[in-house]
Structure formats: structure tokens, C-alpha cells
């Protein structure tokens, strides 16, 4: 059974989850979004992102399209279902 994330911010805030193993790109994307007042959460892998995932919490999930693994596809399907 997956663990439930303990992340909590005011609901009026925009929350983004960035999943990218490329740390440099992750930092650039995070910096740009944060400069616009977005709360950014990052994961280096789909496995790590699954631990952070909370339905109806994230306004946007950015998943590195190069991650065409079985886990990435399943995580995308989970998000779509929820």
C-alpha cells in the first residue's frame, strides 16, 4: 500500500510536481515556477514521485517524457484515474 504524503499548503496556492532525473533541468524549471509564486515539489524518479502524490493537490505534474518506463506509464495512468 503506498504511503500518503504529508505535504500541506493553503489550497489557494498552485502546486507543481516535477519529475526529472536531470537535476540541472529540475532546478531551472523549479526556479522559474517559484519566481511566479508556485510551490514546487520535485522527485528524481517516478518511484519518489509516487510517494509525494496526493490526489487533488497538484495543479500540474511535469514528467520527463524521456522516462518511458513501465513505472512512468503506470504513474501517468494513476494520475489520470484520480
Amino acid at each position: 500500500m503506498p504511503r500518503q504524503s504529508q505535504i500541506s499548503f493553503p489550497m489557494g496556492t498552485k502546486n507543481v510536481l516535477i519529475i526529472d532525473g536531470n537535476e540541472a533541468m529540475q532546478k531551472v524549471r523549479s526556479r522559474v515556477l517559484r519566481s511566479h509564486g508556485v510551490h514546487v515539489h520535485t522527485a528524481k524518479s517516478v518511484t519518489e514521485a509516487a510517494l509525494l502524490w496526493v490526489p487533488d493537490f497538484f495543479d500540474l505534474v511535469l514528467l520527463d517524457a524521456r522516462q518511458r518506463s513501465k513505472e512512468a506509464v503506470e504513474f501517468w495512468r494513476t494520475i489520470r484515474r484520480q
Side-chain angles (χ1 to χ4, degrees):
M1 184 168 162
R3 291 183 359 196
Q4 187 72 7
S5 176
Q6 298 300 315
I7 299 172
S8 70
F9 283 102
M11 292 309 290
T13 303
K14 298 296 181 193
N15 293 290
V16 173
L17 174 59
I18 299 175
I19 308 161
D20 194 337
N22 182 327
E23 189 175 345
M25 286 304 297
Q26 192 181 78
K27 284 182 179 181
V28 168
R29 290 181 179 115
S30 296
R31 193 175 319 123
V32 169
L33 289 168
R34 286 181 177 128
S35 73
H36 291 282
V38 175
H39 282 142
V40 178
H41 309 273
T42 60
K44 293 178 184 174
S45 68
V46 173
T47 302
E48 189 177 330
L51 295 173
L52 296 173
W53 175 249
V54 177
D56 300 320
F57 179 77
F58 293 102
D59 299 289
L60 177 67
V61 176
L62 297 175
L63 174 61
D64 181 1
R66 295 169 294 193
Q67 291 191 32
R68 295 183 181 190
S69 68
K70 189 176 186 178
E71 293 83 12
V73 172
E74 185 56 38
F75 185 64
W76 175 79
R77 287 182 178 147
T78 298
I79 291 170
R80 296 274 304 182
R81 280 192 304 268
Q82 294 177 355

